[in-house]
């Protein structure tokens, strides 16, 4: 595990096939992850990241479909 003091979390990274899984543990009661866990006491999925070739082109396509960033 690594400590990211600026984010107030401890993080652990695991390779899962061609993907990566990041587990976060809050190190302060006022951290964003602590706030998420207060709202979701059973935990859950905070966000998903997907790597694409041309981020600007994909963002324009999403905007054209009426989706926000």
């Amino acid at each position: 595990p690594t400590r990211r003091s600026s984010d107030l979390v401890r993080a652990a990274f695991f390779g899962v096939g061609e993907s990566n899984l990041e587990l976060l543990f809050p190190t302060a009661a006022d951290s964003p992850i602590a706030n998420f866990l207060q709202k979701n006491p059973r935990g859950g999925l905070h966000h998903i990241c997907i790597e694409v070739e041309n981020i600007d082109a994909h963002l324009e396509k999403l905007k054209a479909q009426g989706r926000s960033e």
Side-chain angles (χ1 to χ4, degrees):
T2 61
R3 184 176 296 272
R4 296 191 326 218
S5 59
S6 62
D7 295 332
L8 304 174
V9 298
R10 284 180 49 207
F13 297 90
F14 301 93
V16 182
E18 293 185 21
S19 300
N20 294 302
L21 177 65
E22 178 184 28
L23 301 179
L24 301 175
F25 179 82
T27 59
D30 62 343
S31 74
I33 298 304
N35 292 334
F36 175 83
L37 291 173
Q38 286 175 350
K39 295 175 188 170
N40 303 278
R42 295 180 64 192
L45 185 61
H46 189 264
H47 64 271
I48 296 175
C49 298
I50 300 171
E51 184 176 353
V52 296
E53 291 285 325
N54 184 335
I55 188 71
D56 293 324
H58 284 279
L59 287 173
E60 288 302 318
K61 184 177 179 180
L62 290 171
K63 286 179 188 176
Q65 294 173 354
R67 301 175 192 208
S68 62
E69 293 181 36

